[in-house]
Amino acid sequence: MQFKPILTSLVVAASVVYTALGESPSQHLSHSDHPSSLHRRDIPGPPPPSEHGTLNFILTGNVTRVLINNPPINLLTTGLISDLYTFLLWTQPALNKTTPKVVIFSSAIPAFFISHMDLRNLNGSAAGVTAINQLIACGRLLQSVTSTAFIAQINGRTFGGGMELTSQMDMRFAGPDALVAQYENSNGFVAQGGGQLSLGPIMGKARALEHLLASRTIDAVTGTRLGLFNNHYDTAETLEREVDDLAARIGLYPQTSLNDTKFSLAFLSPTPEMLDAQVERFSPIAGGKVSQGLLKSTLEASDESDNAFERGIPNSILEALYGEVLDTLREDRRAKVLGAVKQEVNLS
């Protein structure tokens, strides 16, 4: 299988967008940057329609809310990935174009924020390769478009590819039902779209390795403690209100300063060279016999619908694929414990 990024020439570095804004802010930024001027012509227009019907848009001034709606589990199908890619391309600034200062991603499906990629696309097919390329491009656009702040409002499950996109957004806020994980290791491959490289700077190397290598789930409280989430809230209503208030506040300020601030912190993100190298390593791993066998077993255990298996990822994968080994280890552990207890009793 060959998975090669399609946007290397476009997303070379965050400076591509910054330079365009910096040359002549009056040409690229709207008059709404002045507090006293908030005319309809200065507000971003609607984004292009969601061709596959997986995204709904709510526009409030300089803030665009993207409601992800791909039932039953917001699976990263070719349609959802294509719609996300088209939308993120639209957020790039250009002459005589007003772009949103803030984009909020949230879900129309309570139990899921963004699920994993459709595993059937990891088979080397032309459609699958296109979907993977577009998913990689989405992550790079989230990092390189410095004139917009991207916020994840999470109150459901987000695994695999969904977690990769989430970790590359600028801010993440969690509700009581937020559960996230990069589970790729359990399927014998890696997070190739930038998620693996992003978690290190966010959480630190040791903690990132713990969760990546063990395919562990992170809840709202733990994620906040690790620095993955900016904050967590006890109710979905409080989560949405706080995110809306933050976005509206950011939207009041000039886009030139937003752009420079995000650009200034871009050094903390993986470089294009690092991302390219990750993609090159991904292809032989994901296309290998071990990974393809594990993926086949995972698909047999779940039809990628709203079921106990999908809600239980990554632990459900652990049990389905490694259950017999786990049972043996548990029996060995029990035997050792019982042996130690008997020896202690005999000694006493």
Side-chain angles (χ1 to χ4, degrees):
M1 291 189 292
Q2 293 298 318
F3 305 117
K4 191 170 180 61
I6 55 178
L7 281 189
T8 2
S9 59
L10 170 66
V11 193
V12 176
S15 58
V16 170
V17 177
Y18 178 80
T19 303
L21 287 175
E23 285 174 353
S24 178
S26 62
Q27 294 179 1
H28 295 278
L29 302 182
S30 69
H31 295 294
S32 61
D33 284 335
H34 191 285
S36 64
S37 178
L38 194 62
H39 304 297
R40 183 172 297 277
R41 72 176 188 279
D42 303 320
I43 301 299
S50 173
E51 180 182 354
H52 303 280
T54 64
L55 303 178
N56 300 321
F57 304 107
I58 302 171
L59 280 62
T60 308
N62 291 302
V63 178
T64 297
R65 177 178 286 275
V66 181
L67 202 61
I68 302 166
N69 188 16
N70 191 29
I73 63 171
N74 279 346
L75 187 70
L76 279 170
T77 57
T78 54
L80 175 54
I81 293 171
S82 176
D83 285 347
L84 285 168
Y85 173 60
T86 300
F87 170 74
L88 289 169
L89 281 177
W90 171 79
T91 64
Q92 296 179 109
L95 285 171
N96 301 316
K97 176 185 177 184
T98 304
T99 56
K101 295 179 182 178
V102 185
V103 168
I104 303 168
F105 289 95
S106 58
S107 173
I109 301 171
F112 294 88
F113 177 55
I114 311 176
S115 194
H116 56 81
M117 189 168 187
D118 186 345
L119 298 180
R120 289 165 292 193
N121 286 323
L122 295 175
N123 59 3
S125 66
V129 170
T130 297
I132 291 172
N133 284 336
Q134 288 185 340
L135 183 63
I136 293 168
C138 285
R140 299 195 183 192
L141 285 163
L142 288 168
Q143 295 289 332
S144 71
V145 176
T146 54
S147 52
T148 297
F150 297 104
I151 300 177
Q153 178 184 311
I154 311 158
N155 194 35
R157 294 158 178 80
T158 184
F159 305 134
M163 178 59 181
E164 291 204 72
L165 293 177
T166 301
S167 65
Q168 292 178 91
M169 295 181 193
D170 299 308
M171 290 168 268
R172 292 161 294 279
F173 296 88
D177 298 323
L179 285 173
V180 303
Q182 290 288 177
Y183 73 90
E184 286 84 350
N185 267 358
S186 64
N187 270 151
F189 61 102
V190 295
Q192 89 291 350
Q196 193 162 264
L197 291 168
S198 297
L199 282 182
I202 293 171
M203 297 166 56
K205 178 182 175 181
R207 285 172 170 169
L209 283 172
E210 175 187 350
H211 289 277
L212 286 166
L213 295 178
S215 297
R216 282 191 166 174
T217 305
I218 303 174
D219 61 23
V221 175
T222 304
T224 304
R225 177 173 55 81
L226 294 173
L228 180 61
F229 302 136
N230 294 60
N231 208 344
H232 69 277
Y233 301 97
D234 293 334
T235 68
E237 292 75 20
T238 305
L239 168 66
E240 183 157 324
R241 183 177 66 248
E242 292 293 329
V243 170
D244 279 341
D245 287 350
L246 174 65
R249 181 167 177 155
I250 294 172
L252 291 172
Y253 306 144
Q255 199 163 20
T256 45
S257 56
L258 185 164
N259 182 67
D260 191 81
T261 301
K262 185 170 172 179
F263 172 80
S264 298
L265 295 177
F267 74 94
L268 294 169
S269 302
T271 65
E273 291 77 18
M274 294 166 65
L275 293 164
D276 285 347
Q278 175 80 85
V279 173
E280 292 297 327
R281 296 195 302 272
F282 170 76
S283 182
I285 296 173
K289 184 177 179 180
V290 172
S291 181
Q292 287 295 309
L294 291 169
L295 285 169
K296 181 181 178 182
S297 297
T298 300
L299 277 169
E300 289 173 352
S302 171
D303 59 358
E304 298 187 320
S305 61
D306 188 0
N307 53 35
F309 186 92
E310 286 293 333
R311 288 179 177 242
I313 290 175
N315 292 336
S316 56
I317 295 177
L318 183 68
E319 291 293 337
L321 274 59
Y322 305 95
E324 292 183 7
V325 177
L326 284 173
D327 289 341
T328 301
L329 291 174
R330 288 165 183 155
E331 287 301 323
D332 288 347
R333 190 178 303 152
R334 290 192 195 98
K336 287 178 181 178
V337 171
L338 287 173
V341 170
K342 287 178 181 177
Q343 185 179 9
E344 187 175 336
V345 170
N346 291 336
L347 289 173
S348 62

